């Protein structure tokens, strides 16, 4: 039987663990410092714990950190890491350096249930949700961990479908953005319980057409999502914000497809849909995946759409495409092959 992970345990849970092992309650604070402050990968390295305390811990627990089993590096400096989960499955994590900034795109599930037409992870199908330890391991075992400035939950899986563990994993680090297609129950909890930034995977402003791309629209539609968001101060343009207060940000992700969502009609529908929200739009290039009629647009068309939306009051950016040559760009993450050959990777 595998030992349980200390990584991902809250201070209160660590206290319960040490008391249950017959150790002093203050030991929990020491353990938390070693894991979340000094990032040790072994209980033996917790040198201010007695040898007996370390032995008791080691008999039932591990730290829960494991190095990536594979790394691919793009010509643009992006790195895609393959991690093995605590029970032997696999997830991909993408490290994106950009000058004095570095973003990590982490996964919340092995595979995904959402079935979006433009996403390789959705084609993989759903395997399981990640534990908080599996999520945090992507951060704490990253070779470039100390360079990180931003973390985005935009990798494999739907974060709102694994919200308990996502909330656990996002309690400590700052500058985190969580992306979702919009699951009602999870989104409401996230808005109420988290302080992280929120990104909505929009991709089409017209409900019937969005449903053709994203089956989740049929369960909780984009119009209902927008109506929900308008109930929260940080999402509304008119909301009063105390001066100097830390602010949450709202953004919408919009992959641009040729002839599907890139026309003036679609732009005007976007402007109407998001009227009154304090948000930004991130336009994303579509990266071809097998067996789909979907096509991307030219750089000139992306810029024209960006300018039109910005000129009509929606702050819009074109997200730089990174790591396409190693299948690390948006929509390309998949561990389907590794899952098929689960016992062949050392």
């Amino acid at each position: 039987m595998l030992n349980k992970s200390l990584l991902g345990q809250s201070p209160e849970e660590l206290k319960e663990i040490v008391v249950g092992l017959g150790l002093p309650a203050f030991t929990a604070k020491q353990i938390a410092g070693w894991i979340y402050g000094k990032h040790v990968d072994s209980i033996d390295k917790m040198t201010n714990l007695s040898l007996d305390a370390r032995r008791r811990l080691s008999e039932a627990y591990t730290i829960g950190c494991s190095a990536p089993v594979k790394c691919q590096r793009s010509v643009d400096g992006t790195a895609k890491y393959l991690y093995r989960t605590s029970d032997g499955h696999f997830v991909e994590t993408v490290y994106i350096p950009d000058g004095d900034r570095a973003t990590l795109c982490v996964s919340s599930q092995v595979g995904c249930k959402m079935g979006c037409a433009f996403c390789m992870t959705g084609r993989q199908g759903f395997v399981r949700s990640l534990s908080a330890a599996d999520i945090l391991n992507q951060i704490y075992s990253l070779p470039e961990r100390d360079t990180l400035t931003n973390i985005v939950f935009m990798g494999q899986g739907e974060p709102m479908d694994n919200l308990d563990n996502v909330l656990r994993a996002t309690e400590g680090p700052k500058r985190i953005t969580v992306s979702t297609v919009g699951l009602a129950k999870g989104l409401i909890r996230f808005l109420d319980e988290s302080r992280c930034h929120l990104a909505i995977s929009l991709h089409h402003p017209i409900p019937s057409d969005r449903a053709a791309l994203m089956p989740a629209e049929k369960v909780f539609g984009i119009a209902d999502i927008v109506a929900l968001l308008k109930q929260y101060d940080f999402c509304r343009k008119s909301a009063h914000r105390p001066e100097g207060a830390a602010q949450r940000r709202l953004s919408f992700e919009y992959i641009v497809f040729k002839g599907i969502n890139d026309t003036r009609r679609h732009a005007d529908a976007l402007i109407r849909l998001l009227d009154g929200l304090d948000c930004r739009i991130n336009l994303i290039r579509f990266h071809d995946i097998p067996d789909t009629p979907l096509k991307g647009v030219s750089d000139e068309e992306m810029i024209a759409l960006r300018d039109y939306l910005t000129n009509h009051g929606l702050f819009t950016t074109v997200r730089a495409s990174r790591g396409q040559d190693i299948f690390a760009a948006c929509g390309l993450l998949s561990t389907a092959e590794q899952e098929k050959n689960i016992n062949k990777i050392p």
Side-chain angles (χ1 to χ4, degrees):
M1 182 176 176
L2 291 173
N3 286 0
K4 296 179 181 178
S5 297
L6 295 173
L7 187 65
Q9 303 286 350
S10 69
E12 294 77 17
E13 289 167 335
L14 288 174
K15 186 175 180 179
E16 290 179 9
I17 287 170
V18 299
V19 170
L21 292 173
L23 300 173
F26 66 80
T27 309
K29 187 174 182 180
Q30 294 174 312
I31 294 171
W34 283 111
I35 296 173
Y36 300 116
K38 298 180 180 178
H39 310 301
V40 296
D41 57 5
S42 168
I43 291 172
D44 288 337
K45 294 179 181 179
M46 298 180 180
T47 52
N48 62 348
L49 273 63
S50 69
L51 288 173
D52 180 60
R54 281 178 267 170
R55 178 187 59 78
R56 294 190 200 185
L57 271 176
S58 297
E59 287 175 352
Y61 293 89
T62 64
I63 297 293
C65 288
S66 60
V69 298
K70 184 178 179 182
C71 175
Q72 293 176 272
R73 292 196 179 273
S74 167
V75 295
D76 64 23
T78 299
K80 182 172 71 171
Y81 289 100
L82 182 71
Y83 284 95
R84 193 195 301 268
T85 68
S86 56
D87 62 349
H89 292 287
F90 296 92
V91 291
E92 291 183 324
T93 307
V94 181
Y95 172 76
I96 309 166
D98 184 15
D100 59 355
R101 293 162 51 90
T103 299
L104 188 68
C105 180
V106 303
S107 296
S108 57
Q109 295 179 315
V110 182
C112 186
K113 300 176 186 177
M114 299 301 106
C116 297
F118 45 82
C119 180
M120 288 295 293
T121 307
R123 291 191 176 189
Q124 177 180 340
F126 178 73
V127 179
R128 78 163 178 88
S129 289
L130 297 182
S131 66
D134 286 328
I135 295 172
L136 288 171
N137 185 52
Q138 298 169 69
I139 303 167
Y140 286 101
S141 295
L142 182 79
E144 301 91 346
R145 179 193 64 224
D146 293 337
T147 69
L148 292 178
T149 58
N150 299 275
I151 296 170
V152 295
F153 279 70
M154 297 180 181
Q156 293 174 264
E158 165 53 54
M160 302 302 158
D161 191 39
N162 185 24
L163 188 57
D164 285 340
N165 288 312
V166 168
L167 290 175
R168 279 174 169 266
T170 55
E171 285 181 2
K174 307 302 180 186
R175 302 193 72 174
I176 299 173
T177 300
V178 178
S179 177
T180 178
V181 300
L183 302 183
K185 184 178 179 180
L187 181 55
I188 292 169
R189 276 193 63 201
F190 176 82
L191 288 165
D192 290 339
E193 298 178 26
S194 176
R195 305 317 302 164
C196 294
H197 305 311
L198 174 64
I200 301 293
S201 294
L202 175 53
H203 309 309
H204 207 296
I206 299 171
S208 58
D209 293 326
R210 186 172 186 260
L213 293 171
M214 307 172 67
E217 167 69 26
K218 301 170 186 176
V219 180
F220 188 53
I222 190 61
D224 295 320
I225 292 170
V226 169
L228 173 64
L229 294 174
K230 287 181 177 179
Q231 298 176 30
Y232 290 82
D233 286 348
F234 82 95
C235 297
R236 296 197 302 267
K237 281 185 177 179
S238 59
H240 170 71
R241 293 179 176 83
E243 185 176 354
Q247 300 300 318
R248 298 175 76 180
R249 294 193 299 270
L250 172 66
S251 60
F252 289 85
E253 309 299 302
Y254 196 87
I255 299 175
V256 185
F257 304 106
K258 184 71 173 178
I260 302 293
N261 65 354
D262 62 330
T263 69
R264 183 67 56 84
R265 177 174 70 92
H266 298 114
D268 289 337
L270 260 178
I271 293 164
R272 289 192 299 271
L273 175 68
L274 303 182
D275 182 50
L277 288 178
D278 184 9
C279 64
R280 75 162 58 194
I281 308 294
N282 292 316
L283 301 182
I284 302 170
R285 291 173 177 83
F286 174 62
H287 303 101
D288 289 345
I289 62 175
D291 304 319
T292 177
L294 299 171
K295 301 295 179 184
V297 302
S298 68
D299 289 346
E300 292 76 15
E301 290 169 308
M302 292 279 283
I303 292 169
L305 179 57
R306 177 201 68 188
D307 292 347
Y308 183 82
L309 292 171
T310 298
N311 291 337
H312 286 78
L314 279 180
F315 178 53
T316 306
T317 61
V318 176
R319 183 189 292 170
S321 181
R322 301 288 300 272
Q324 186 173 358
D325 58 319
I326 58 169
F327 294 91
C330 183
L332 298 183
L333 297 185
S334 175
T335 52
E337 289 304 312
Q338 288 88 348
E339 292 295 319
K340 289 178 184 177
N341 301 287
I342 198 163
N343 295 317
K344 295 182 181 180
I345 294 181

